[in-house]
Amino acid sequence: DQQVKQNSPSLSVQEGRISILNCDYTNSMFDYFLWYKKYPAEGPTFLISISSIKDKNEDGRFTVFLNKSAKHLSLHIVPSQPGDSAVYFCAAVALSGYALNFGKGTSLLVTP
Amino acid sequence: EADIYQTPRYLVIGTGKKITLECSQTMGHDKMYWYQQDPGMELHLIHYSYGVNSTEKGDLSSESTVSRIRTEHFPLTLESARPSHTSQYLCASSESTGGYTDTQYFGPGTRLTVL
């Protein structure tokens, strides 16, 4: 039973524009959320995280928004750059947990 | 940021062979993890360790075993490889400061193919 869902397998955005990657979750016990970026033949790299007590966290060009009532989070990248082209994984962990629960990832392509 | 290494990066092996996937980290992290990922799918936790001589199975059942004799080293072993074990195996580590909010840092992964 997949508890973290990324329903868009791929996304294409023009350089300079905003990229919005979405993630939904079903487990109400999830308390902490993370985004990882993965290039081919490399392991996932931590990008940004957000605690359930917040609804927004910003780090440079990356902003994560959390809507707890909708069990939805999104990652905004502004402005998008070609180097942002990668697979982005959403992950969640429960207060009592240890394991990261991952979505299947969204492949972002930023075109010049 | 953690420095975490995995060898080999790619492994093609025949059915029935015993294999060990190596994972080492140089940051002194207490917690280490093994995840398995099939192409286009999510990562699943198969093993984790809170420290030396501590190992637990993850959410996804796996025929592999792990050991943690040294803080920096967390090898994964398959006694008899089968084609169903073909997958990517990712090792991760994290500090033990914030509990469940400790960021996990990943190695580059081992792509295993069993013929």
Side-chain angles (χ1 to χ4, degrees), chain B residues 18-37:
Chain B
K18 177 180 178 179
I19 59 169
T20 297
L21 308 184
E22 301 288 348
C23 175
S24 296
Q25 50 96 4
T26 60
M27 298 303 290
H29 286 170
D30 287 325
K31 295 180 185 175
M32 296 191 74
Y33 315 81
W34 276 102
Y35 288 84
Q36 183 176 341
Q37 184 192 20

Side-chain angles (χ1 to χ4, degrees), chain A residues 73-93:
Chain A
L73 64 155
S74 61
L75 175 68
H76 292 211
I77 307 173
V78 184
S80 301
Q81 299 173 354
D84 295 330
S85 298
V87 177
Y88 289 79
F89 289 95
C90 172
V93 61

Side-chain angles (χ1 to χ4, degrees), chain B:
Chain B
E1 187 169 330
D3 289 323
I4 184 162
Y5 308 97
Q6 290 186 244
T7 57
R9 294 291 309 276
Y10 302 91
L11 179 61
V12 181
I13 201 162
T15 297
K17 299 290 186 183
K18 177 180 178 179
I19 59 169
T20 297
L21 308 184
E22 301 288 348
C23 175
S24 296
Q25 50 96 4
T26 60
M27 298 303 290
H29 286 170
D30 287 325
K31 295 180 185 175
M32 296 191 74
Y33 315 81
W34 276 102
Y35 288 84
Q36 183 176 341
Q37 184 192 20
D38 294 327
M41 301 298 287
E42 60 270 37
L43 284 75
H44 287 287
L45 182 72
I46 51 174
H47 299 284
Y48 67 99
S49 168
Y50 281 142
V52 171
N53 294 325
S54 150
T55 60
E56 300 287 345
K57 289 191 178 292
D59 299 328
L60 181 68
S61 176
S62 174
E63 295 168 342
S64 58
T65 59
V66 292
S67 62
R68 189 90 184 274
I69 299 173
R70 303 197 315 265
T71 298
E72 63 272 20
H73 195 213
F74 191 39
L76 180 146
T77 298
L78 276 166
E79 290 293 333
S80 179
R82 294 207 300 268
S84 60
H85 296 140
T86 295
S87 189
Q88 184 175 38
Y89 293 84
L90 291 153
C91 181
S93 72
S94 68
E95 296 176 318
S96 304
T97 52
Y100 70 105
T101 62
D102 293 324
T103 299
Q104 294 183 26
Y105 297 96
F106 284 81
T110 295
R111 171 76 61 189
L112 173 65
T113 302
V114 184
L115 303 175

Side-chain angles (χ1 to χ4, degrees), chain A:
Chain A
D1 181 29
Q2 196 180 358
Q3 300 182 74
V4 177
K5 298 179 183 178
Q6 294 176 256
N7 293 319
S8 297
S10 62
L11 175 68
S12 183
V13 172
Q14 268 192 318
E15 181 178 8
R17 304 253 180 168
I18 184 171
S19 295
I20 300 177
L21 296 94
N22 294 302
C23 178
D24 297 294
Y25 62 96
T26 58
N27 189 341
S28 58
M29 298 302 291
F30 286 151
D31 197 61
Y32 191 66
F33 305 88
L34 307 91
W35 284 93
Y36 281 82
K37 179 169 76 172
K38 186 179 186 297
Y39 292 117
E42 294 184 14
T45 302
F46 170 72
L47 198 56
I48 193 169
S49 62
I50 188 167
S51 167
S52 62
I53 62 173
K54 295 185 175 181
D55 55 16
K56 176 183 175 181
N57 188 27
E58 194 172 350
D59 183 1
R61 297 186 296 113
F62 302 92
T63 303
V64 56
F65 295 92
L66 175 63
N67 183 332
K68 280 190 67 178
S69 60
K71 292 190 177 69
H72 176 83
L73 64 155
S74 61
L75 175 68
H76 292 211
I77 307 173
V78 184
S80 301
Q81 299 173 354
D84 295 330
S85 298
V87 177
Y88 289 79
F89 289 95
C90 172
V93 61
L95 173 64
S96 59
Y98 46 86
L100 291 174
N101 295 271
F102 282 88
K104 292 185 180 181
T106 296
S107 179
L108 173 66
L109 177 64
V110 180
T111 57

